[in-house]
Amino acid sequence: IGTTHQAAPEKQGRIYVWNVNDGRLVQELAGHKGPINGLAVSDDGRTMITSSMDMSIRLWNVSQSQR
């Protein structure tokens, strides 16, 4: 997300946001009940959309850790 952060989904439906400069976990986002099968980030890096095998789509305000 942007130039300093990377988002990575995991099988239990969470998304982890890491600081790529120091390896620190910045955010853990939860909201899906199944594995995440899609993830896209807006050009400004403030919004992320995810889709899951549980048939849900989530829109995240990454700058505020909200969905």
Side-chain angles (χ1 to χ4, degrees):
I1 302 173
T3 59
T4 60
H5 294 85
Q6 177 70 41
E10 55 91 41
K11 291 181 182 177
Q12 280 71 42
R14 292 186 178 350
I15 301 105
Y16 296 105
V17 179
W18 301 91
N19 181 313
V20 296
N21 293 326
D22 61 14
R24 182 175 50 93
L25 179 63
V26 177
Q27 294 176 328
E28 181 180 338
L29 305 171
H32 291 291
K33 292 180 173 50
I36 295 168
N37 59 3
L39 184 150
V41 179
S42 64
D43 289 339
D44 64 9
R46 296 171 57 177
T47 306
M48 180 170 45
I49 188 167
T50 55
S51 61
S52 172
M53 297 294 287
D54 67 9
M55 305 300 284
S56 67
I57 296 173
R58 301 279 185 251
L59 184 65
W60 305 88
N61 181 337
V62 180
S63 62
Q64 297 180 3
S65 301
Q66 296 177 346
R67 65 174 166 128

Short mmCIF file of all heavy atoms in Angstrom, two decimals:
data_model
loop_
_atom_site.label_atom_id
_atom_site.label_comp_id
_atom_site.label_asym_id
_atom_site.label_seq_id
_atom_site.Cartn_x
_atom_site.Cartn_y
_atom_site.Cartn_z
N ILE A 1 0.87 -1.16 0.00
CA ILE A 1 0.00 0.00 0.00
C ILE A 1 0.91 1.21 0.00
O ILE A 1 1.62 1.43 0.98
CB ILE A 1 -0.93 -0.01 1.23
CG1 ILE A 1 -1.76 -1.28 1.23
CG2 ILE A 1 -1.80 1.22 1.22
CD1 ILE A 1 -2.58 -1.50 2.44
N GLY A 2 0.95 1.90 -1.05
CA GLY A 2 1.90 2.99 -1.18
C GLY A 2 3.30 2.42 -1.37
O GLY A 2 3.48 1.31 -1.84
N THR A 3 4.29 3.16 -0.98
CA THR A 3 5.67 2.72 -1.18
C THR A 3 6.29 2.10 0.06
O THR A 3 7.35 1.50 -0.02
CB THR A 3 6.55 3.90 -1.62
OG1 THR A 3 6.48 4.92 -0.62
CG2 THR A 3 6.08 4.46 -2.95
N THR A 4 5.63 2.22 1.21
CA THR A 4 6.24 1.71 2.45
C THR A 4 5.49 0.55 3.07
O THR A 4 5.96 -0.01 4.05
CB THR A 4 6.35 2.83 3.50
OG1 THR A 4 5.04 3.33 3.79
CG2 THR A 4 7.24 3.95 3.01
N HIS A 5 4.32 0.18 2.54
CA HIS A 5 3.52 -0.87 3.16
C HIS A 5 3.09 -1.91 2.12
O HIS A 5 2.90 -1.60 0.96
CB HIS A 5 2.28 -0.29 3.83
CG HIS A 5 2.61 0.57 5.01
ND1 HIS A 5 2.93 1.89 4.87
CD2 HIS A 5 2.71 0.29 6.32
CE1 HIS A 5 3.19 2.39 6.06
NE2 HIS A 5 3.07 1.44 6.96
N GLN A 6 2.92 -3.14 2.60
CA GLN A 6 2.48 -4.25 1.76
C GLN A 6 1.33 -4.95 2.46
O GLN A 6 1.40 -5.20 3.66
CB GLN A 6 3.63 -5.23 1.55
CG GLN A 6 3.28 -6.45 0.75
CD GLN A 6 3.02 -6.13 -0.71
OE1 GLN A 6 3.71 -5.35 -1.30
NE2 GLN A 6 2.00 -6.74 -1.27
N ALA A 7 0.26 -5.27 1.72
CA ALA A 7 -0.88 -6.00 2.29
C ALA A 7 -0.81 -7.45 1.84
O ALA A 7 -0.50 -7.74 0.69
CB ALA A 7 -2.19 -5.37 1.82
N ALA A 8 -1.08 -8.36 2.77
CA ALA A 8 -1.04 -9.79 2.47
C ALA A 8 -2.24 -10.49 3.10
O ALA A 8 -2.41 -10.43 4.32
CB ALA A 8 0.26 -10.40 2.99
N PRO A 9 -3.08 -11.15 2.29
CA PRO A 9 -4.20 -11.90 2.86
C PRO A 9 -3.74 -13.26 3.36
O PRO A 9 -2.69 -13.77 2.97
CB PRO A 9 -5.14 -12.06 1.66
CG PRO A 9 -4.23 -12.06 0.48
CD PRO A 9 -3.09 -11.15 0.84
N GLU A 10 -4.55 -13.84 4.25
CA GLU A 10 -4.26 -15.19 4.72
C GLU A 10 -5.54 -16.02 4.68
O GLU A 10 -6.61 -15.50 4.45
CB GLU A 10 -3.59 -15.18 6.10
CG GLU A 10 -4.33 -14.43 7.18
CD GLU A 10 -5.29 -15.30 7.95
OE1 GLU A 10 -4.97 -16.44 8.27
OE2 GLU A 10 -6.38 -14.83 8.25
N LYS A 11 -5.42 -17.32 4.87
CA LYS A 11 -6.51 -18.26 4.64
C LYS A 11 -7.71 -18.10 5.57
O LYS A 11 -8.81 -18.48 5.22
CB LYS A 11 -5.99 -19.69 4.73
CG LYS A 11 -5.08 -20.05 3.60
CD LYS A 11 -4.61 -21.48 3.71
CE LYS A 11 -3.66 -21.81 2.59
NZ LYS A 11 -3.12 -23.15 2.69
N GLN A 12 -7.54 -17.55 6.75
CA GLN A 12 -8.65 -17.41 7.68
C GLN A 12 -9.43 -16.11 7.49
O GLN A 12 -10.26 -15.78 8.31
CB GLN A 12 -8.15 -17.51 9.12
CG GLN A 12 -7.91 -18.93 9.59
CD GLN A 12 -6.69 -19.57 8.93
OE1 GLN A 12 -5.67 -18.93 8.76
NE2 GLN A 12 -6.81 -20.82 8.54
N GLY A 13 -9.15 -15.35 6.43
CA GLY A 13 -9.94 -14.17 6.13
C GLY A 13 -9.39 -12.87 6.68
O GLY A 13 -10.08 -11.86 6.66
N ARG A 14 -8.18 -12.86 7.16
CA ARG A 14 -7.57 -11.64 7.66
C ARG A 14 -6.60 -11.09 6.63
O ARG A 14 -6.08 -11.81 5.80
CB ARG A 14 -6.80 -11.91 8.95
CG ARG A 14 -7.66 -12.26 10.14
CD ARG A 14 -6.80 -12.36 11.38
NE ARG A 14 -7.31 -12.63 12.67
CZ ARG A 14 -8.54 -12.68 13.12
NH1 ARG A 14 -9.51 -12.48 12.33
NH2 ARG A 14 -8.83 -12.93 14.36
N ILE A 15 -6.35 -9.78 6.72
CA ILE A 15 -5.35 -9.13 5.89
C ILE A 15 -4.33 -8.50 6.82
O ILE A 15 -4.70 -7.82 7.79
CB ILE A 15 -5.96 -8.03 4.99
CG1 ILE A 15 -7.04 -8.60 4.08
CG2 ILE A 15 -4.89 -7.34 4.16
CD1 ILE A 15 -8.40 -8.26 4.52
N TYR A 16 -3.08 -8.76 6.56
CA TYR A 16 -2.00 -8.17 7.34
C TYR A 16 -1.33 -7.09 6.51
O TYR A 16 -1.06 -7.29 5.33
CB TYR A 16 -0.98 -9.23 7.73
CG TYR A 16 -1.55 -10.29 8.63
CD1 TYR A 16 -1.85 -11.56 8.14
CD2 TYR A 16 -1.83 -10.02 9.96
CE1 TYR A 16 -2.39 -12.53 8.96
CE2 TYR A 16 -2.37 -10.99 10.79
CZ TYR A 16 -2.65 -12.24 10.28
OH TYR A 16 -3.20 -13.20 11.09
N VAL A 17 -1.08 -5.94 7.14
CA VAL A 17 -0.39 -4.84 6.48
C VAL A 17 0.95 -4.67 7.17
O VAL A 17 1.01 -4.46 8.38
CB VAL A 17 -1.21 -3.53 6.54
CG1 VAL A 17 -0.46 -2.40 5.86
CG2 VAL A 17 -2.59 -3.73 5.90
N TRP A 18 2.01 -4.79 6.38
CA TRP A 18 3.38 -4.75 6.90
C TRP A 18 4.10 -3.50 6.43
O TRP A 18 3.90 -3.04 5.30
CB TRP A 18 4.17 -5.96 6.38
CG TRP A 18 3.58 -7.26 6.76
CD1 TRP A 18 2.68 -7.99 6.03
CD2 TRP A 18 3.81 -8.00 7.94
NE1 TRP A 18 2.35 -9.14 6.69
CE2 TRP A 18 3.03 -9.18 7.87
CE3 TRP A 18 4.60 -7.79 9.07
CZ2 TRP A 18 3.02 -10.13 8.88
CZ3 TRP A 18 4.59 -8.74 10.07
CH2 TRP A 18 3.81 -9.89 9.98
N ASN A 19 4.98 -2.97 7.26
CA ASN A 19 5.90 -1.92 6.87
C ASN A 19 7.08 -2.60 6.20
O ASN A 19 7.77 -3.40 6.85
CB ASN A 19 6.34 -1.11 8.08
CG ASN A 19 7.28 0.02 7.73
OD1 ASN A 19 8.24 -0.15 6.98
ND2 ASN A 19 6.99 1.18 8.27
N VAL A 20 7.31 -2.33 4.92
CA VAL A 20 8.36 -3.03 4.21
C VAL A 20 9.76 -2.54 4.58
O VAL A 20 10.75 -3.22 4.33
CB VAL A 20 8.17 -2.96 2.67
CG1 VAL A 20 6.90 -3.67 2.26
CG2 VAL A 20 8.17 -1.53 2.18
N ASN A 21 9.85 -1.38 5.20
CA ASN A 21 11.16 -0.85 5.59
C ASN A 21 11.73 -1.55 6.82
O ASN A 21 12.93 -1.80 6.90
CB ASN A 21 11.09 0.65 5.83
CG ASN A 21 10.81 1.41 4.56
OD1 ASN A 21 11.25 1.03 3.48
ND2 ASN A 21 10.05 2.48 4.66
N ASP A 22 10.87 -1.85 7.79
CA ASP A 22 11.37 -2.45 9.03
C ASP A 22 10.74 -3.80 9.37
O ASP A 22 11.05 -4.41 10.38
CB ASP A 22 11.22 -1.49 10.21
CG ASP A 22 9.77 -1.11 10.51
OD1 ASP A 22 8.84 -1.78 9.99
OD2 ASP A 22 9.57 -0.14 11.26
N GLY A 23 9.81 -4.29 8.51
CA GLY A 23 9.19 -5.60 8.74
C GLY A 23 8.14 -5.62 9.82
O GLY A 23 7.64 -6.68 10.19
N ARG A 24 7.76 -4.47 10.33
CA ARG A 24 6.80 -4.38 11.43
C ARG A 24 5.37 -4.55 10.92
O ARG A 24 4.99 -4.03 9.89
CB ARG A 24 6.97 -3.00 12.09
CG ARG A 24 6.10 -2.74 13.28
CD ARG A 24 6.44 -1.41 13.93
NE ARG A 24 6.49 -0.32 12.97
CZ ARG A 24 5.48 0.49 12.68
NH1 ARG A 24 4.32 0.33 13.29
NH2 ARG A 24 5.61 1.46 11.79
N LEU A 25 4.56 -5.32 11.66
CA LEU A 25 3.14 -5.46 11.37
C LEU A 25 2.45 -4.17 11.77
O LEU A 25 2.51 -3.75 12.92
CB LEU A 25 2.54 -6.65 12.13
CG LEU A 25 1.06 -6.90 11.95
CD1 LEU A 25 0.74 -7.24 10.49
CD2 LEU A 25 0.59 -7.99 12.88
N VAL A 26 1.80 -3.52 10.81
CA VAL A 26 1.16 -2.23 11.05
C VAL A 26 -0.32 -2.38 11.38
O VAL A 26 -0.84 -1.72 12.26
CB VAL A 26 1.34 -1.31 9.82
CG1 VAL A 26 0.63 0.01 10.00
CG2 VAL A 26 2.81 -1.09 9.52
N GLN A 27 -1.00 -3.28 10.65
CA GLN A 27 -2.43 -3.49 10.84
C GLN A 27 -2.78 -4.94 10.61
O GLN A 27 -2.15 -5.63 9.81
CB GLN A 27 -3.26 -2.66 9.85
CG GLN A 27 -3.16 -1.18 10.01
CD GLN A 27 -3.94 -0.46 8.92
OE1 GLN A 27 -4.03 -0.94 7.80
NE2 GLN A 27 -4.48 0.70 9.24
N GLU A 28 -3.82 -5.38 11.32
CA GLU A 28 -4.44 -6.68 11.05
C GLU A 28 -5.92 -6.40 10.85
O GLU A 28 -6.60 -5.91 11.76
CB GLU A 28 -4.24 -7.63 12.22
CG GLU A 28 -4.84 -8.98 11.99
CD GLU A 28 -4.65 -9.94 13.16
OE1 GLU A 28 -3.72 -9.74 13.95
OE2 GLU A 28 -5.44 -10.88 13.25
N LEU A 29 -6.40 -6.65 9.65
CA LEU A 29 -7.79 -6.36 9.30
C LEU A 29 -8.57 -7.66 9.23
O LEU A 29 -8.16 -8.60 8.57
CB LEU A 29 -7.84 -5.63 7.95
CG LEU A 29 -6.99 -4.36 7.85
CD1 LEU A 29 -6.96 -3.87 6.41
CD2 LEU A 29 -7.51 -3.29 8.78
N ALA A 30 -9.70 -7.71 9.93
CA ALA A 30 -10.53 -8.91 9.95
C ALA A 30 -11.95 -8.53 9.52
O ALA A 30 -12.45 -7.47 9.88
CB ALA A 30 -10.55 -9.52 11.34
N GLY A 31 -12.59 -9.41 8.77
CA GLY A 31 -13.95 -9.15 8.36
C GLY A 31 -14.54 -10.24 7.48
O GLY A 31 -15.75 -10.34 7.36
N HIS A 32 -13.69 -11.05 6.88
CA HIS A 32 -14.16 -12.16 6.06
C HIS A 32 -14.21 -13.44 6.90
O HIS A 32 -13.46 -13.60 7.85
CB HIS A 32 -13.22 -12.39 4.88
CG HIS A 32 -13.26 -11.29 3.86
ND1 HIS A 32 -14.34 -11.06 3.05
CD2 HIS A 32 -12.33 -10.37 3.52
CE1 HIS A 32 -14.08 -10.04 2.25
NE2 HIS A 32 -12.87 -9.60 2.52
N LYS A 33 -15.11 -14.35 6.51
CA LYS A 33 -15.22 -15.64 7.21
C LYS A 33 -14.57 -16.78 6.43
O LYS A 33 -14.53 -17.90 6.89
CB LYS A 33 -16.69 -15.94 7.47
CG LYS A 33 -17.31 -14.99 8.46
CD LYS A 33 -18.76 -15.34 8.69
CE LYS A 33 -19.42 -14.55 9.78
NZ LYS A 33 -19.28 -13.14 9.76
N GLY A 34 -14.05 -16.47 5.25
CA GLY A 34 -13.40 -17.47 4.42
C GLY A 34 -12.12 -16.92 3.82
O GLY A 34 -11.79 -15.75 4.00
N PRO A 35 -11.40 -17.76 3.08
CA PRO A 35 -10.15 -17.33 2.45
C PRO A 35 -10.37 -16.16 1.49
O PRO A 35 -11.38 -16.10 0.78
CB PRO A 35 -9.68 -18.56 1.69
CG PRO A 35 -10.37 -19.71 2.34
CD PRO A 35 -11.68 -19.18 2.83
N ILE A 36 -9.45 -15.25 1.47
CA ILE A 36 -9.52 -14.09 0.58
C ILE A 36 -8.99 -14.51 -0.79
O ILE A 36 -7.93 -15.12 -0.90
CB ILE A 36 -8.71 -12.92 1.17
CG1 ILE A 36 -9.38 -12.48 2.46
CG2 ILE A 36 -8.58 -11.78 0.18
CD1 ILE A 36 -8.58 -11.55 3.30
N ASN A 37 -9.76 -14.19 -1.83
CA ASN A 37 -9.35 -14.56 -3.18
C ASN A 37 -9.13 -13.37 -4.10
O ASN A 37 -8.82 -13.54 -5.28
CB ASN A 37 -10.34 -15.55 -3.81
CG ASN A 37 -11.74 -15.00 -3.89
OD1 ASN A 37 -12.00 -13.86 -3.54
ND2 ASN A 37 -12.67 -15.82 -4.33
N GLY A 38 -9.26 -12.16 -3.57
CA GLY A 38 -9.00 -10.96 -4.36
C GLY A 38 -8.66 -9.79 -3.47
O GLY A 38 -9.20 -9.67 -2.36
N LEU A 39 -7.75 -8.94 -3.93
CA LEU A 39 -7.35 -7.77 -3.16
C LEU A 39 -6.87 -6.71 -4.14
O LEU A 39 -6.08 -7.00 -5.04
CB LEU A 39 -6.21 -8.15 -2.21
CG LEU A 39 -5.72 -7.09 -1.24
CD1 LEU A 39 -5.22 -7.75 0.03
CD2 LEU A 39 -4.62 -6.24 -1.83
N ALA A 40 -7.37 -5.49 -3.99
CA ALA A 40 -6.94 -4.36 -4.83
C ALA A 40 -6.84 -3.13 -3.94
O ALA A 40 -7.59 -2.98 -2.97
CB ALA A 40 -7.91 -4.12 -5.96
N VAL A 41 -5.91 -2.26 -4.28
CA VAL A 41 -5.66 -1.04 -3.51
C VAL A 41 -5.84 0.16 -4.43
O VAL A 41 -5.42 0.13 -5.59
CB VAL A 41 -4.24 -1.05 -2.91
CG1 VAL A 41 -3.96 0.22 -2.12
CG2 VAL A 41 -4.05 -2.27 -2.01
N SER A 42 -6.44 1.22 -3.90
CA SER A 42 -6.62 2.45 -4.68
C SER A 42 -5.27 3.08 -5.00
O SER A 42 -4.26 2.80 -4.32
CB SER A 42 -7.49 3.45 -3.92
OG SER A 42 -6.86 3.85 -2.72
N ASP A 43 -5.24 3.94 -6.00
CA ASP A 43 -4.00 4.58 -6.41
C ASP A 43 -3.35 5.40 -5.29
O ASP A 43 -2.13 5.47 -5.19
CB ASP A 43 -4.23 5.49 -7.62
CG ASP A 43 -4.49 4.70 -8.89
OD1 ASP A 43 -4.11 3.51 -8.95
OD2 ASP A 43 -5.07 5.28 -9.82
N ASP A 44 -4.17 5.99 -4.42
CA ASP A 44 -3.61 6.79 -3.33
C ASP A 44 -3.23 5.96 -2.10
O ASP A 44 -2.69 6.46 -1.13
CB ASP A 44 -4.55 7.92 -2.92
CG ASP A 44 -5.87 7.44 -2.34
OD1 ASP A 44 -6.04 6.24 -2.07
OD2 ASP A 44 -6.77 8.29 -2.15
N GLY A 45 -3.53 4.64 -2.13
CA GLY A 45 -3.15 3.74 -1.05
C GLY A 45 -3.99 3.84 0.20
O GLY A 45 -3.68 3.22 1.21
N ARG A 46 -5.08 4.56 0.15
CA ARG A 46 -5.90 4.76 1.35
C ARG A 46 -7.08 3.81 1.45
O ARG A 46 -7.64 3.61 2.52
CB ARG A 46 -6.39 6.20 1.40
CG ARG A 46 -5.24 7.18 1.54
CD ARG A 46 -5.65 8.60 1.37
NE ARG A 46 -6.71 8.95 2.32
CZ ARG A 46 -7.22 10.15 2.43
NH1 ARG A 46 -6.80 11.12 1.65
NH2 ARG A 46 -8.16 10.39 3.30
N THR A 47 -7.47 3.21 0.33
CA THR A 47 -8.63 2.33 0.30
C THR A 47 -8.24 0.99 -0.33
O THR A 47 -7.48 0.94 -1.28
CB THR A 47 -9.76 2.98 -0.53
OG1 THR A 47 -10.04 4.27 -0.02
CG2 THR A 47 -11.01 2.13 -0.48
N MET A 48 -8.78 -0.08 0.25
CA MET A 48 -8.52 -1.42 -0.26
C MET A 48 -9.86 -2.14 -0.37
O MET A 48 -10.74 -1.96 0.48
CB MET A 48 -7.59 -2.16 0.70
CG MET A 48 -7.26 -3.56 0.28
SD MET A 48 -5.93 -4.33 1.27
CE MET A 48 -6.37 -3.90 2.94
N ILE A 49 -10.02 -2.95 -1.40
CA ILE A 49 -11.21 -3.79 -1.55
C ILE A 49 -10.75 -5.24 -1.59
O ILE A 49 -9.73 -5.56 -2.20
CB ILE A 49 -12.04 -3.41 -2.79
CG1 ILE A 49 -13.36 -4.16 -2.79
CG2 ILE A 49 -11.25 -3.63 -4.06
CD1 ILE A 49 -14.36 -3.64 -3.79
N THR A 50 -11.47 -6.09 -0.88
CA THR A 50 -11.13 -7.50 -0.84
C THR A 50 -12.38 -8.33 -1.12
O THR A 50 -13.50 -7.91 -0.83
CB THR A 50 -10.54 -7.92 0.52
OG1 THR A 50 -11.46 -7.57 1.56
CG2 THR A 50 -9.20 -7.27 0.77
N SER A 51 -12.17 -9.51 -1.70
CA SER A 51 -13.26 -10.47 -1.90
C SER A 51 -12.83 -11.79 -1.28
O SER A 51 -11.65 -12.07 -1.13
CB SER A 51 -13.56 -10.64 -3.38
OG SER A 51 -12.43 -11.14 -4.07
N SER A 52 -13.84 -12.58 -0.92
CA SER A 52 -13.56 -13.81 -0.19
C SER A 52 -14.37 -14.97 -0.74
O SER A 52 -15.42 -14.78 -1.37
CB SER A 52 -13.90 -13.60 1.29
OG SER A 52 -13.82 -14.81 2.01
N MET A 53 -13.89 -16.17 -0.46
CA MET A 53 -14.62 -17.39 -0.81
C MET A 53 -15.94 -17.49 -0.05
O MET A 53 -16.79 -18.29 -0.40
CB MET A 53 -13.76 -18.62 -0.52
CG MET A 53 -12.48 -18.68 -1.35
SD MET A 53 -12.77 -18.89 -3.10
CE MET A 53 -13.28 -20.59 -3.13
N ASP A 54 -16.14 -16.68 0.99
CA ASP A 54 -17.40 -16.68 1.72
C ASP A 54 -18.47 -15.84 1.00
O ASP A 54 -19.54 -15.60 1.53
CB ASP A 54 -17.21 -16.21 3.16
CG ASP A 54 -16.82 -14.74 3.27
OD1 ASP A 54 -16.84 -14.00 2.27
OD2 ASP A 54 -16.46 -14.32 4.39
N MET A 55 -18.14 -15.39 -0.24
CA MET A 55 -19.05 -14.63 -1.10
C MET A 55 -19.25 -13.19 -0.62
O MET A 55 -20.24 -12.54 -0.95
CB MET A 55 -20.41 -15.33 -1.24
CG MET A 55 -20.30 -16.77 -1.74
SD MET A 55 -19.52 -16.91 -3.35
CE MET A 55 -20.84 -16.38 -4.39
N SER A 56 -18.32 -12.66 0.16
CA SER A 56 -18.42 -11.28 0.62
C SER A 56 -17.36 -10.41 -0.04
O SER A 56 -16.33 -10.90 -0.50
CB SER A 56 -18.28 -11.20 2.15
OG SER A 56 -16.96 -11.56 2.54
N ILE A 57 -17.66 -9.13 -0.10
CA ILE A 57 -16.72 -8.11 -0.57
C ILE A 57 -16.62 -7.07 0.53
O ILE A 57 -17.65 -6.68 1.11
CB ILE A 57 -17.22 -7.47 -1.88
CG1 ILE A 57 -17.26 -8.52 -3.00
CG2 ILE A 57 -16.33 -6.29 -2.27
CD1 ILE A 57 -17.89 -8.03 -4.27
N ARG A 58 -15.42 -6.62 0.82
CA ARG A 58 -15.21 -5.62 1.87
C ARG A 58 -14.44 -4.44 1.28
O ARG A 58 -13.50 -4.62 0.51
CB ARG A 58 -14.41 -6.18 3.04
CG ARG A 58 -15.06 -7.36 3.72
CD ARG A 58 -16.13 -6.91 4.70
NE ARG A 58 -16.65 -8.04 5.43
CZ ARG A 58 -17.87 -8.54 5.25
NH1 ARG A 58 -18.67 -8.02 4.36
NH2 ARG A 58 -18.29 -9.56 5.95
N LEU A 59 -14.85 -3.25 1.67
CA LEU A 59 -14.16 -2.02 1.31
C LEU A 59 -13.54 -1.49 2.60
O LEU A 59 -14.23 -1.27 3.59
CB LEU A 59 -15.15 -1.01 0.72
CG LEU A 59 -14.58 0.29 0.22
CD1 LEU A 59 -13.66 0.04 -0.97
CD2 LEU A 59 -15.71 1.23 -0.20
N TRP A 60 -12.22 -1.32 2.58
CA TRP A 60 -11.47 -0.94 3.77
C TRP A 60 -10.90 0.46 3.64
O TRP A 60 -10.33 0.81 2.61
CB TRP A 60 -10.30 -1.89 4.00
CG TRP A 60 -10.66 -3.33 4.05
CD1 TRP A 60 -10.75 -4.19 3.00
CD2 TRP A 60 -10.98 -4.09 5.21
NE1 TRP A 60 -11.10 -5.44 3.43
CE2 TRP A 60 -11.25 -5.40 4.80
CE3 TRP A 60 -11.05 -3.78 6.56
CZ2 TRP A 60 -11.58 -6.41 5.69
CZ3 TRP A 60 -11.39 -4.79 7.44
CH2 TRP A 60 -11.65 -6.09 7.01
N ASN A 61 -11.03 1.25 4.70
CA ASN A 61 -10.33 2.52 4.80
C ASN A 61 -9.03 2.19 5.52
O ASN A 61 -8.99 2.15 6.74
CB ASN A 61 -11.18 3.53 5.58
CG ASN A 61 -10.50 4.87 5.69
OD1 ASN A 61 -9.29 4.98 5.59
ND2 ASN A 61 -11.30 5.89 5.93
N VAL A 62 -7.99 1.91 4.77
CA VAL A 62 -6.73 1.42 5.34
C VAL A 62 -6.07 2.46 6.22
O VAL A 62 -5.45 2.14 7.22
CB VAL A 62 -5.77 0.96 4.22
CG1 VAL A 62 -4.47 0.43 4.79
CG2 VAL A 62 -6.43 -0.11 3.37
N SER A 63 -6.24 3.73 5.89
CA SER A 63 -5.60 4.78 6.69
C SER A 63 -6.20 4.87 8.10
O SER A 63 -5.58 5.38 9.00
CB SER A 63 -5.70 6.13 5.99
OG SER A 63 -7.05 6.51 5.81
N GLN A 64 -7.41 4.32 8.30
CA GLN A 64 -8.05 4.35 9.61
C GLN A 64 -8.39 2.97 10.15
O GLN A 64 -9.07 2.85 11.16
CB GLN A 64 -9.34 5.18 9.54
CG GLN A 64 -9.09 6.61 9.20
CD GLN A 64 -10.37 7.41 9.13
OE1 GLN A 64 -11.45 6.90 9.39
NE2 GLN A 64 -10.27 8.66 8.79
N SER A 65 -7.95 1.89 9.49
CA SER A 65 -8.20 0.51 9.90
C SER A 65 -9.69 0.21 10.03
O SER A 65 -10.12 -0.48 10.95
CB SER A 65 -7.50 0.21 11.23
OG SER A 65 -6.14 0.39 11.13
N GLN A 66 -10.51 0.75 9.14
CA GLN A 66 -11.95 0.53 9.20
C GLN A 66 -12.43 -0.13 7.92
O GLN A 66 -11.82 0.01 6.88
CB GLN A 66 -12.69 1.86 9.38
CG GLN A 66 -12.38 2.55 10.67
CD GLN A 66 -13.09 3.89 10.76
OE1 GLN A 66 -13.58 4.41 9.77
NE2 GLN A 66 -13.13 4.44 11.94
N ARG A 67 -13.57 -0.81 8.03
CA ARG A 67 -14.23 -1.33 6.84
C ARG A 67 -15.60 -0.71 6.72
O ARG A 67 -16.14 -0.15 7.64
CB ARG A 67 -14.33 -2.85 6.87
CG ARG A 67 -15.19 -3.39 7.95
CD ARG A 67 -15.33 -4.90 7.81
NE ARG A 67 -15.88 -5.41 9.02
CZ ARG A 67 -16.93 -6.18 9.07
NH1 ARG A 67 -17.52 -6.55 7.99
NH2 ARG A 67 -17.37 -6.62 10.21
#
